[in-house]
Amino acid sequence: TQLRGVLEEELEAIRGAGTWKSERVITSRQGPRIHVDGVSGGILNFCANNYLGLSSHPEVIQAGLQALEEFGAGLSSTRFICGTQSIHKDLEAKIARFHQREDAILYPSCFDANAGLFEALLTPQDAVLSDELNHASIIDGIRLCKAHKYRYHHLDMADLEAKLQEAQKHRLRLVATDGAFSMDGDIAPLREICHLASRYDALVFVDECHATGFLGATGRGTDELLGVTDQVTIINSTLGKALGGASGGYTTGPEPLVSLLRQRSRPYLFSNSLPPAVVGCASKALDLLMESNAIVQTMAAKTQRFRSKMEAAGFTILGANHPICPVMLEDARLASCMADDMLKRGIFVIGFSYPVVPKGKARIRVQISAVHSEEDIDRCVEAFVEVGRLHGALP
């Protein structure tokens, strides 16, 4: 009874603050058009991480079915016991080749990859320097390690340099940053970060979850986009967004690091292997990406179309040229109500508020996919204008 009282009080506080997060139920496969329980007709989906539209690609689905048939539903084991199949090793080799790194290691998610890296790599003799707006999984992973911790202001290279100077007394210095920041849609200045890392003899770690597959000329990510592929030591990323959208994450980098993670990384050692169907889907997604960059080339134009039309309508959009397009509304309740009214107009978007974003920074995060048509994008903008005027967010 006491527990229920405590929990209900907490839940009521969330409702009262307007930050309650409801889960809409999708009754179809993921794609640019979906069906939602309780809503009649098709809905345009503008909030998925399905950047390349591969979640429902027929060849990706077929590859998953083939892996399911050949290798079974799951391994019922961790990797080092009896959970490593040939397809796991093949996918790890393919990931390393895609990123032009020596080796790679698979995890159940990139959250697990971030949770497993820092503790295994860094000791009390070392230091980690983290952007203050890094993803929660990076923050949690850093908390688990015993290294000295420095947090630098978001994208602030002067502050990073000051922290690097302060950290010179430590054995290893690791700069940790998101490549593309998922809430604001901005991109880390990797050229400057790598320059400082070289100057102060530091290593560079980049989380590429919102970059892998579609940033850079061939979709390799922000290191390719900014021309520093050979200067980034460690990359963590996901299979659960652009690369098929199922699940799974990975670390790729120097072979000795990957070997160390196989021996010490707790999420790797104590989690079941990725299911064969997931491995098969991700492997095919990488094949499609490495065969052609045609899908990647469509992203920039569609992203610019949405951003320019929304800004012309009077909305404030954070970030620059990234398919994550945060429509800033500041007020949590306004973001939630506008998202609900967008759904009534056939557009699936979600309001983001505290604790996902800072208080007073509520927004609707729109995400553009390569499989959205220009007509889809224009319809989304029209709905935003209608709803924005209805709620007083636009004049």
Side-chain angles (χ1 to χ4, degrees), residues 1 65 67 75 84 110 118 173 228 234 314 325 340 346 358 382:
T1 301
L65 290 171
L75 278 300
T84 297
C110 191
F118 302 99
R173 291 159 296 283
V228 292
I234 308 166
C325 305
D340 289 342
E382 291 168 5

Side-chain angles (χ1 to χ4, degrees), residues 114 118-119 128 136-147 149 151:
N114 285 338
F118 302 99
E119 183 183 25
V128 57
S137 60
I138 300 175
I139 295 169
D140 286 358
I142 290 173
R143 284 172 177 165
L144 291 171
C145 79
K146 292 181 171 62
K149 302 168 181 67
R151 186 174 64 174

Side-chain angles (χ1 to χ4, degrees), residues 101 188-192 194 208 215-217 220-232:
R101 296 312 196 274
L190 288 186
R191 290 194 192 100
E192 292 82 357
C194 290
E208 290 283 63
L215 287 188
R220 263 62 175 181
T222 54
D223 61 337
E224 179 186 60
L225 177 71
L226 298 173
V228 292
T229 300
D230 60 343
Q231 300 174 56
V232 174

Side-chain angles (χ1 to χ4, degrees), residues 89-105:
K89 300 302 293 183
D90 290 345
L91 178 55
E92 288 170 335
K94 191 175 293 184
I95 288 168
R97 187 165 67 252
F98 177 76
H99 284 286
Q100 301 173 30
R101 296 312 196 274
E102 293 178 7
D103 203 355
I105 178 174

